[in-house]
Amino acid sequence: MSEQPTREGSSWQRVEEVAIVAAVVLAGVAVASIDWTGWWVHPPVSNEAVLETADPAPQAVETPPELGGLGVDVRPRASWRARPPRGRLRIHGPPTRITIHHQAALFDRYDLASTVRELRSIQKHHQSVRKWTDVGYHMIVDRAGRIWEGRPVESIGAHAGNRAANRGNLGILVLGDYDRQELSIGQRVSIRVLLERACAHWGIERSSVLTHNEIRKEQGLHGTLCPGRDLAELVEAFRLGR
């Protein structure tokens, strides 16, 4: 009977060595391909969550007809897969004033998927926790400067403090916390353009563009830090035509 070859120094050993090297290389490629940005802030999500936050289809980003006269691109509710209102929305006609808010939470993601996830989270909180009919704001400006449709613009919002403050009041939310972070260049441009076009379209005076803190004090309610220093300065500059 012939002697069986040992694994030491044989072709078997070479095969094993090649296999180990290949495994290490493949593992390195896999690890290097992961986007570790914000790993601790936004941990990996399930397949279902990925489907929920996938980039909207191109055909779903046309400006809603009722906002077409603004002359700015506004991504419709369908593009972030907004839930339907939980009940009947009260109609208030064209807005006569505008109130600016910040999210009062740090948010610094620019991609579509993270933004869509944030919009859906805000709406869920408003409907499920606050028990509002829909998301409270009419428009939302994200960190990239994209403008999103919130509550239908012809309906009374839930953002200014009470029913009197909300009536005829267009609520605009800016994602982020502007006591702790600065507006992005995209946000600065989009907010100013949106305010210019909205005032021209609905005949709103610049003096009627207010911060959340200002509208609350006007209504005799306690003040708030909203919309943060950086955003409040932008609103003041807009009113002064600067």
Side-chain angles (χ1 to χ4, degrees):
M1 190 165 85
S2 62
E3 183 180 353
Q4 296 295 324
T6 62
R7 297 173 70 88
E8 184 71 26
S10 69
S11 59
W12 285 103
Q13 184 182 15
R14 288 192 294 274
V15 170
E16 287 178 339
E17 291 172 348
V18 171
I20 292 171
V21 171
V24 171
V25 171
L26 289 174
V29 171
V31 171
S33 67
I34 296 175
D35 179 6
W36 295 96
T37 304
W39 175 264
W40 296 110
V41 178
H42 297 282
V45 294
S46 65
N47 289 337
E48 181 179 358
V50 170
L51 289 175
E52 283 289 301
T53 59
D55 288 356
Q59 66 269 23
V61 297
E62 294 181 2
T63 298
E66 61 272 23
L67 298 177
L70 284 176
V72 295
D73 291 332
V74 180
R75 291 172 176 262
R77 290 168 61 91
S79 67
W80 56 278
R81 294 177 292 284
R83 295 177 174 184
R86 295 174 61 247
R88 184 174 63 86
L89 293 169
R90 296 178 179 273
I91 305 302
H92 66 172
T96 58
R97 54 187 170 175
I98 299 171
T99 297
I100 306 295
H101 305 258
H102 72 165
Q103 187 182 4
L106 288 173
F107 183 77
D108 204 26
R109 304 298 290 263
Y110 289 72
D111 61 288
L112 281 172
S114 297
T115 300
V116 165
R117 181 168 54 205
E118 197 72 9
L119 298 182
R120 290 174 60 82
S121 175
I122 291 169
Q123 185 190 37
K124 182 178 181 180
H125 177 76
H126 286 185
Q127 290 184 318
S128 301
V129 178
R130 293 183 176 272
K131 304 301 181 183
W132 294 344
T133 305
D134 201 355
V135 62
Y137 313 99
H138 297 96
M139 295 183 194
I140 302 160
V141 181
D142 69 18
R143 285 293 286 167
R146 292 177 293 250
I147 303 170
W148 303 77
E149 179 189 23
R151 182 178 292 225
V153 71
E154 70 275 6
S155 63
I156 298 177
H159 61 90
N162 58 31
R163 183 168 296 180
N166 284 318
R167 188 173 294 112
N169 192 343
L170 183 75
I172 299 176
L173 170 68
V174 183
L175 294 185
D177 184 331
Y178 298 101
D179 275 325
R180 296 188 289 169
Q181 61 189 123
E182 293 184 354
L183 292 161
S184 70
I185 294 175
Q187 284 177 318
R188 290 184 183 279
V189 172
S190 290
I191 295 167
R192 291 193 68 93
V193 171
L194 177 58
L195 292 178
E196 292 279 2
R197 300 291 175 81
C199 286
H201 181 66
W202 285 300
I204 301 172
E205 298 291 334
R206 284 177 179 260
S207 59
S208 294
V209 177
L210 305 173
T211 66
H212 188 198
N213 183 49
E214 290 170 334
I215 190 69
R216 288 185 64 85
K217 288 184 175 180
E218 179 186 281
Q219 293 294 316
L221 304 172
H222 63 80
T224 174
L225 295 176
C226 182
R229 290 186 300 273
D230 201 33
L231 191 47
E233 289 173 4
L234 184 151
V235 173
E236 178 65 14
F238 174 80
R239 283 198 299 248
L240 295 174
R242 298 202 304 259

